[in-house]
Amino acid sequence: MSTHAKRERLLLADLLEAAGPDATTLCEGWNARDLAAHVVVRERRPDAAGGQLLGPLRNRLERVQGEYVAKPYEELIQLIRTGPPRMSPFGIKQLDEAANTVEFYVHAEDVRRAQPDWTPRELDKVFSNALWARLEKGARMMGRRSPAGLVLRRPDGQTAVAHRGSPVVTVTGEPGELLLFVLGRQEAARVEVEGDKEAVDKVQRSKLGM
């Protein structure tokens, strides 16, 4: 049975291929080639990928990222499609699902929503619930940089507190849209934002995300 992560992986590869290497993305400063290289390095070069979190490894990450950016674009797409190397922990289905479902979903939307003719993608209930489960678990980490209290709410009323504080800003939307919002894609997320006007403005402009 195909997992959410595997489905989103293949969709991301298709979107990157269709967009072309020079297409813009929602990732500031990155075109489609840069994004594809990031995905491959994250999966295949753990010796460098740690630079996303650890300062001492940042120079190594930038160097390795540059090496992959220089590879043929078609090769990067194929590496994304075929998945991690055999001995990679990402090759374990459960870990792949836990670590990559949100990663690939968000990056697929980074490609889609940067294009002028993009249209909303309707997610099935099972996938939406899977995204919500991950959002609930990671909300505090994702929202830790919020300049105000931040509550994420589904249309059915389920909520997750992303940041404690006052005043409180409440963001309402489907799980996929909430993930995009709290991971720094506020302008592209289709949500309703309520609260004190100044606090809302600060949250909308802030660098949310991990």
Side-chain angles (χ1 to χ4, degrees):
M1 180 182 294
S2 177
T3 64
H4 298 305
K6 183 175 181 180
R7 184 182 66 183
E8 294 303 302
R9 173 195 299 280
L10 296 177
L11 174 61
L12 172 58
D14 288 347
L15 289 168
L16 286 167
E17 183 176 52
D22 299 321
T24 58
T25 74
L26 297 185
C27 298
E28 186 176 354
W30 279 3
N31 60 19
R33 180 187 294 277
D34 296 317
L35 178 53
H38 158 75
V39 172
V40 175
V41 169
R42 177 178 172 272
E43 271 197 327
R44 292 175 173 265
R45 292 296 302 271
D47 59 309
Q52 297 176 59
L53 300 174
L54 303 175
L57 293 178
R58 192 162 294 129
N59 288 339
R60 181 178 181 83
L61 172 60
E62 290 176 358
R63 185 177 71 253
V64 173
Q65 174 88 5
E67 292 171 359
Y68 276 81
V69 166
K71 290 180 179 292
Y73 188 63
E74 296 76 13
E75 180 180 338
L76 294 175
I77 301 300
Q78 186 59 22
L79 288 173
I80 294 172
R81 280 205 177 99
T82 55
R86 181 174 298 178
M87 299 304 293
S88 169
F90 287 117
I92 301 171
K93 178 180 176 180
Q94 292 83 353
L95 182 57
D96 180 47
E97 190 74 351
N100 286 331
T101 297
V102 170
E103 177 82 5
F104 293 149
Y105 166 74
V106 170
H107 284 326
E109 294 304 306
D110 284 337
V111 179
R112 291 183 65 253
R113 299 189 186 209
Q115 311 312 312
D117 58 347
W118 77 275
T119 56
R121 173 185 168 200
E122 187 172 342
L123 305 182
D124 64 72
K125 185 176 181 179
V126 173
F127 186 40
S128 286
N129 287 338
L131 293 179
W132 177 253
R134 285 158 178 76
L135 182 58
E136 281 188 307
K137 291 179 181 178
R140 295 288 178 85
M141 178 64 73
M142 298 175 195
R144 71 189 186 281
R145 294 177 181 157
S146 176
L150 184 60
V151 174
L152 309 174
R153 182 171 65 195
R154 297 182 74 171
D156 64 6
Q158 288 181 281
T159 61
V161 176
H163 189 77
R164 294 191 181 279
S166 181
V168 175
V169 172
T170 301
V171 184
T172 303
E174 296 295 339
E177 303 298 326
L178 295 174
L179 271 168
L180 291 171
F181 187 95
V182 80
L183 287 174
R185 283 78 169 173
Q186 293 99 310
E187 291 187 7
R190 296 201 163 185
V191 295
E192 293 183 3
V193 187
E194 302 171 288
D196 174 81
K197 184 180 185 303
E198 184 177 351
V200 167
D201 289 343
K202 287 182 178 179
V203 170
Q204 291 277 27
R205 296 195 306 267
S206 64
K207 297 279 189 181
L208 298 177
M210 295 185 285

